[in-house]
Amino acid sequence: MSPQILWFATRGAGIVSLILFSAVACLGLLAVARTQSARWPRFLTVELHRNLALLSIVFLGIHIVTAVVDPFTSLGIGAALVPLASSYRPVPVAFGVVSVYLVLAVIVTSLLRERIGHQVWRAIHWASYAAWPLAVEHTLTAGSDSWSFWMLAVQGTCIVAVSAALVHRLTSGGTNRSRLAAVTGGTADPVAVDPAWRNQ
Amino acid sequence: MTATFRPRPTARPDRPAGPGPARTELVVDRIACDGFGMCAELLPELIELDDWGYPIVAAGGVPDQLLDHARRAVAVCPVLALRLARIPAAPVERGNAGWHGNRPSSVRG
Amino acid sequence: MEPRLFAGPPAGSGPEPLADHRARLGSRPSGAAAAATVPTLEASGLLGRGGAGFPVGRKWRSVAGQAGGRPVVLVNAAEGEPLSSKDRTLLRLRPHLVLDGALLAADAVGADRIALYIGTAQRDAQASIRRALAERRDLNVAIDLHAAPDTYVAGEESAAVHFVNEADARPTVTPPRPYERGVGGRPTLVQNVESLAHAALIGRFGDGWFRELGRDVTPGSALVTISGAARDGVREIEIGTTIGELAEQAGAGTTARDRQAVLLGGYFGGWLSTERGWDVPLDPIALRAAGSAFGAGVVAFLGNDRCGVRATSRIMDYMAGQSAAQCGPCVFGLRAIADATARLATGRPERDDLERIQRWSQQLAGRGACRHPDGAVGQLLSSLRVFGSEWEVHQRRRPCTRERVAAITPARNREQVA
């Protein structure tokens, strides 16, 4: 097998992972913000978020395995499992390793959601706020062509998209739960939701 | 995809709406529920949203042909507030002094 | 009627001391004799007096039969209902009768702990119980006191258990109910103080004795709290006494025309017009058939010069503010209903307010973790029936027939009905 294939696979799978991961992050933020439109129901955001997350794991797996197995890189399995154990750009690779561990924790707890309960699941899900920036950092510093024009365009788009989703989430007014005490106490009004939002 | 919803009295899972055969029911954890409303999108035949986006579940259990849709609705809830429960056939235990034995709308004046 | 719970020294003499209590009633059944009271209680037909009216004997049997550790008895004297003062009065005047009932229950269900849950503001009741506990030498179980917050829902049984467990008096999602898993995860008998007092007497004198009273279907005597009468306060009545008889005894009039309506049960109960209700027996079965409820024994008369719409709107405002703020339908629904009833009461309704409160009320029942919204809405629906024409008058912005609307302020406060 041409060693070039493994090298292409590593980089290609890595880029696809980043794009998918960014899409997952956007969808997660939009889900909490209860975003929807006439053509985009709320359940679509959540189900797409979950399905793309599982898909991104596949590409992440390809990225890691091909990188480790490639005879022309000096990455051994230790580099993939232990942060800073890589002899090639140890810190950038470590960003990736930590990011993967956080993502795995999030995915595993999500798959076991019904067993572990909502509170524990939610606490661990906060780790995704660290996992995504680490993945971006890893792409920028560990990648061999991260400063080429097209890679900058891809990375820039991902960063802008997730940032925009974050801003939207922060300005969307919070969940119902945060308003319950105020409405009971009479300091907030029980504004009924737009009927169009309720019907489907 | 649209189905007409006829509001029926809601069933409370620990006290069945009436004596009846064993059936599968949708149970809402009312404290966990935060009104995301995706359950109603996925199961409009049985779940409608009130004026504030919270689910009203039709009484009478989940018919067999809707079970898959019901499971999907249970899975989509971000706060795990919806679940499917198997309610055994049972007589109704009620107190006599309060509203427990009566839904207010069924009381005649 | 010979008083039963209030037999003995008159109200003015304060708490009955242990010696007098024993001299009057003898000692309580204990040990094996206590366990034998469960069938007696079942035969007596005693219903719980906390508001739900669940048969007491059956409840004790359920708790006794649970697996999951030694049971706990939770004596519920939170009495969050503003119109009710029977429980604190009973604790103040007959603490030993209540303690007898609690100890009897503990023996009967095999409990090794009694949690006394008394409202924080009930200073006299707390002092009376503390003194009574100090007097006794037959306390064979651990007894602890808990100060219940003075909120409406603090007396709900899962809220009481939640407070004893985690100092949080908010209702929890059931199942499991307290009788299965409650204080410390153990089966818990949550029982109202009046129910325990009746049980203490039934344990001594038997079910036949208990059933000697009771004019309609339900046997026994009950405590009621009367307001809106010349002689307000707590009374013991024979169950089945008609509303009209009670009105006469308490100075609320001699005919149905002397008052316009009566709120029964509590803020979670139901209204009856005096015209329909004057001859209705104060019996849980009869009241339910008439569209009302016995509830916590509240009998609140509404004078002819008061507006029923306004009284109802104040109750709804209170109930909305007393939500535990855990469940969306209760929080938003009750607050929206309360705001709409306030607009109707003060003569500034929106076009669909009356239609909206009916629709929201129909939607609300059964959609909270506890029955707080059910009770509030049940009371509202009964008000719509009883004061129907007046609600219409208010919706059409015509002058209120009872009170000058300009004098009504929509202030959000905890004023009582009458």
Side-chain angles (χ1 to χ4, degrees):
Chain A
M1 172 187 289
S2 158
Q4 293 276 46
I5 288 187
L6 289 176
W7 188 220
F8 285 135
T10 302
R11 293 146 71 207
I15 294 161
V16 173
S17 280
L18 178 70
I19 295 172
L20 286 174
F21 197 178
S22 305
V24 168
C26 286
L27 288 166
L29 291 163
L30 293 178
V32 173
R34 305 181 189 218
T35 318
Q36 66 157 57
S37 76
R39 298 235 187 95
W40 185 285
R42 295 181 297 286
F43 76 81
L44 183 53
T45 312
V46 169
E47 291 191 338
L48 203 53
H49 168 84
R50 293 177 186 168
N51 292 336
L52 287 184
L54 292 174
L55 186 62
S56 73
I57 288 290
V58 172
F59 284 93
L60 202 50
I62 295 172
H63 171 75
I64 297 169
V65 166
T66 53
V68 165
V69 155
D70 190 338
F72 276 80
T73 69
S74 46
L75 293 167
I77 190 133
L81 292 178
V82 181
L84 301 175
S86 163
S87 47
Y88 166 80
R89 303 195 192 181
V91 173
V93 169
F95 286 145
V97 173
V98 174
S99 178
V100 166
Y101 279 139
L102 293 176
V103 164
L104 278 178
V106 169
I107 300 248
V108 166
T109 50
S110 296
L111 290 170
L112 298 175
R113 215 162 57 111
E114 291 182 26
R115 301 272 177 82
I116 63 176
H118 180 65
Q119 319 291 4
V120 173
W121 171 86
R122 191 154 182 268
I124 296 186
H125 221 77
W126 283 106
S128 54
Y129 277 81
W132 181 81
L134 283 172
V136 172
E137 210 28 52
H138 170 78
T139 313
L140 284 171
T141 53
S144 51
D145 30 24
S146 32
W147 296 100
S148 66
F149 171 73
W150 58 275
M151 264 310 289
L152 283 175
V154 166
Q155 287 164 132
T157 308
C158 289
I159 294 172
V160 166
V162 174
S163 307
L166 181 60
V167 168
H168 176 75
R169 185 252 188 272
L170 292 172
T171 56
S172 66
T175 60
N176 288 338
R177 187 158 306 283
S178 54
R179 291 199 291 143
L180 290 180
V183 173
T184 295
T187 55
D189 279 333
V191 178
V193 294
D194 182 2
W197 184 92
R198 288 191 290 122
N199 299 329
Q200 58 121 183
Chain B
M1 173 108 156
T2 51
T4 48
F5 175 87
R6 253 175 301 283
R8 286 175 272 169
T10 56
R12 283 181 1 243
D14 51 332
R15 290 183 201 204
R23 56 184 184 268
T24 307
E25 285 206 359
L26 281 166
V27 177
V28 180
D29 178 331
R30 300 288 178 186
I31 297 180
C33 175
D34 205 31
F36 278 89
M38 295 178 283
C39 52
E41 287 178 336
L42 288 173
L43 196 57
E45 296 88 346
L46 298 179
I47 304 180
E48 192 187 46
L49 297 180
D50 69 10
D51 284 24
W52 297 280
Y54 289 87
I56 303 174
V57 180
V62 180
D64 288 339
Q65 72 268 23
L66 289 177
L67 266 178
D68 282 341
H69 292 287
R71 286 197 195 102
R72 192 173 169 197
V74 166
V76 83
C77 179
V79 293
L80 294 175
L82 192 64
R83 63 183 178 94
L84 280 170
R86 188 128 187 87
I87 308 290
V92 182
E93 294 271 30
R94 288 174 184 154
N96 282 316
W99 292 113
H100 294 236
N102 267 342
R103 284 205 62 249
S105 58
S106 68
V107 173
R108 275 164 293 291
Chain C
M1 180 200 93
E2 285 293 319
R4 290 178 161 184
L5 299 182
F6 287 139
S13 39
E16 184 182 36
L18 183 59
D20 298 8
H21 169 83
R22 287 268 162 78
R24 193 166 59 82
L25 294 171
S27 51
R28 66 174 180 94
S30 54
T37 56
V38 175
T40 313
L41 279 177
E42 288 174 308
S44 72
L46 172 67
L47 300 178
R49 297 279 191 263
F54 195 86
V56 173
R58 187 149 25 128
K59 204 173 192 183
W60 289 24
R61 188 180 286 284
S62 305
V63 173
Q66 288 291 317
R70 291 202 62 184
V72 174
V73 173
L74 196 159
V75 177
N76 192 352
E79 196 163 51
E81 168 64 54
L83 290 174
S84 177
S85 45
K86 67 177 177 78
D87 292 337
R88 67 199 72 195
T89 306
L90 186 61
L91 275 180
R92 183 168 59 84
L93 298 178
R94 299 286 180 272
H96 287 290
L97 196 55
V98 174
L99 285 177
D100 275 1
L103 291 162
L104 179 64
D107 280 349
V109 304
D112 62 355
R113 177 181 170 190
I114 295 177
L116 294 172
Y117 184 63
I118 306 176
T120 309
Q122 298 174 32
R123 296 304 165 88
D124 290 346
Q126 290 169 23
S128 164
I129 272 291
R130 285 211 171 85
R131 209 175 309 131
L133 285 171
E135 283 183 292
R136 293 185 84 117
R137 296 279 170 267
D138 64 337
L139 302 175
N140 52 340
V141 295
I143 301 189
D144 33 281
L145 265 77
H146 301 266
D150 293 314
T151 57
Y152 197 80
V153 297
E156 197 268 340
E157 59 169 20
S158 73
V161 167
H162 197 192
F163 185 82
V164 171
N165 280 338
E166 289 166 41
D168 181 355
R170 290 181 301 172
T172 54
V173 172
T174 54
R177 305 208 78 93
Y179 79 91
E180 300 169 289
R181 217 159 62 229
V183 173
R186 296 147 70 183
T188 303
L189 175 67
V190 181
Q191 199 81 74
N192 175 268
V193 287
E194 188 195 335
S195 312
L196 291 170
H198 285 293
L201 293 177
I202 293 171
R204 284 171 169 81
F205 303 128
D207 57 287
W209 164 85
F210 185 73
R211 300 189 76 94
E212 282 168 18
L213 282 187
R215 293 193 212 164
D216 202 48
V217 177
T218 310
S221 65
L223 298 184
V224 294
T225 313
I226 300 166
S227 57
R231 292 177 289 282
D232 285 349
V234 176
R235 279 166 195 266
E236 187 175 8
I237 60 162
E238 177 175 13
I239 294 182
T241 306
T242 65
I243 294 172
E245 282 178 70
L246 186 60
E248 282 184 74
Q249 287 170 28
T254 48
T255 69
R257 269 190 282 278
D258 292 325
R259 291 289 186 278
Q260 69 173 294
V262 59
L263 176 62
L264 296 157
Y267 283 176
F268 66 105
W271 292 91
L272 265 186
S273 66
T274 48
E275 187 189 319
R276 275 202 64 227
W278 203 250
D279 296 322
V280 172
L282 285 161
D283 178 314
I285 314 277
L287 286 178
R288 191 143 59 93
S292 187
F294 190 90
V298 163
V299 181
F301 291 99
L302 190 69
N304 290 323
D305 57 346
R306 300 301 180 99
C307 175
V309 173
R310 171 180 169 244
T312 303
S313 83
R314 284 187 177 276
I315 292 174
M316 293 313 295
D317 177 62
Y318 173 78
M319 295 293 261
Q322 287 293 306
S323 167
Q326 301 188 106
C327 308
C330 175
V331 170
F332 293 104
L334 285 187
R335 182 46 68 196
I337 293 173
D339 287 351
T341 56
R343 288 193 295 269
L344 282 160
T346 54
R348 287 189 291 274
E350 290 173 16
R351 206 164 34 90
D352 324 315
D353 270 344
L354 192 52
E355 180 264 322
R356 271 190 221 149
I357 62 179
Q358 293 182 90
R359 178 165 56 85
W360 286 332
S361 302
Q362 297 287 343
Q363 287 183 341
L364 196 44
R367 294 208 300 130
C370 73
R371 303 282 82 80
H372 181 70
D374 300 53
V377 150
Q379 177 269 142
L380 173 64
L381 290 174
S382 73
S383 169
L384 292 175
R385 273 197 313 276
V386 168
F387 303 110
S389 54
E390 295 181 52
W391 284 96
E392 295 283 347
V393 162
H394 279 259
Q395 173 69 77
R396 290 202 216 105
R397 299 181 181 227
R398 309 236 90 84
C400 174
T401 56
R402 302 273 179 180
E403 292 187 52
R404 276 175 43 241
V405 170
I408 298 173
T409 53
R412 287 175 169 174
N413 59 46
R414 293 172 60 144
E415 195 175 298
Q416 289 196 5
V417 169

